[in-house]
Amino acid sequence: MSKWTTDDIPDLAGRRVIVTGANSGLGLRTSLELARHRATVVLACRSAERGARALATVRAAVPDADVVLGSLDLADLASVRAFAESHPEPLDVLVNNAGVMALPRRTTADGFEAQFGTNHLGHFALTGLLLPALLQRPGARVVTVTSMMHWLGSADFAAFDDEHGYHKWPAYCRSKLANLVFAKELDRRAPFVSVASHPGYASTNLQQAAPRMTGHRTRAALFGLLNTMVGQSDAAGAWPSLYAATAPGVAGGQCYGPRGPGQSRGAPRRVPTLPRAADPELGRRLWELSEERTGVSYDALPT
């Protein structure tokens, strides 16, 4: 696995993939490589303008790409339902990639804290609503993108309701731990492979989005400098997700990330994660909370 590159991705002709947050960064790089290897790719994007630019980028790089644009706002459960209803076709791979990081206290359209609501609850709902499409494909996979920061996440997931004790970085870490716990619990329940991946420290616009949003130009510039000095490229950051989505022998319930120092960079491999993330009781509690908050149940799963 240490020598794995995107050249090792098999021919994906006939396979259909949805990538959330495909308008830039890791999502765009993931979509580009999947299209280059002949998958049918749905770019699930919140912004129609940025999505159209991403679509043009993929088509310019892969002129014969079978790629379409879909409208998806993970911070709005009505949008999640509409997207799922408009994409009922059999689905081979779902890459739950989109995310926000270290935002000031904000809420989604449904009143959830924005980081937990977008990063976890939106993807929980989307995956559940796409179950009929996934169950039509033998060997289907769901790849949910977490972060190295999950190690610092609190397992008190209901704490996202606390309006008075909000701190943006702990909230982000909690949402990324939820991504990992969800991936493991889904693998316990589903007849297909569910795995997690993380990009290490990848240089994308994610790090600078929150400072720009709050007008902290100096902080945004510092993150940009740090990205240049420390971060690996967004193309390399997409490798773990691509490996998890396409490589033979991927083990369900595991996490794939960079093999370099501190899981920060390098070729993908299976990586250790916070041991508590594998606790079935924690997975059950998160699952029940998620069903309650989103109103999405996984009744389509075989019993």
Side-chain angles (χ1 to χ4, degrees), residues 26-101:
L26 304 177
L28 178 56
R29 289 294 184 174
T30 299
S31 301
L32 269 169
E33 288 300 332
L34 294 171
R36 188 170 284 127
H37 289 83
R38 302 207 298 163
T40 296
V41 183
V42 180
L43 309 178
C45 302
R46 179 176 60 86
S47 166
E49 180 182 355
R50 292 195 294 271
R53 289 200 296 267
L55 184 65
T57 297
V58 174
R59 287 178 171 166
V62 189
D64 59 348
D66 184 2
V67 57
V68 297
L69 181 61
S71 176
L72 173 65
D73 183 354
L74 289 161
D76 184 344
L77 291 177
S79 173
V80 175
R81 289 184 179 276
F83 177 88
E85 289 171 1
S86 63
H87 293 85
E89 300 89 345
L91 182 61
D92 294 277
V93 182
L94 171 62
V95 182
N96 289 325
N97 163 82
V100 294
M101 184 173 74

Side-chain angles (χ1 to χ4, degrees), residues 104-161:
R105 171 77 190 185
R106 299 194 174 190
T107 56
T108 68
D110 304 281
F112 307 130
E113 185 275 310
Q115 297 192 82
F116 194 82
T118 302
N119 296 352
H120 169 64
L121 291 176
H123 280 125
F124 177 90
L126 177 67
T127 305
L129 293 167
L130 289 174
L131 275 181
L134 288 160
L135 292 171
Q136 292 181 62
R137 291 293 206 193
R141 295 186 190 183
V142 174
V143 179
T144 300
V145 179
T146 180
S147 164
M148 294 185 295
M149 300 291 283
H150 84 270
W151 287 90
L152 303 177
S154 165
D156 182 10
F157 297 122
F160 77 85
D161 285 324

Side-chain angles (χ1 to χ4, degrees), residues 288-301:
E288 291 177 355
L289 181 148
S290 303
E291 286 189 328
E292 175 189 338
R293 299 309 170 91
T294 64
V296 174
S297 63
Y298 281 54
D299 294 339
L301 287 177

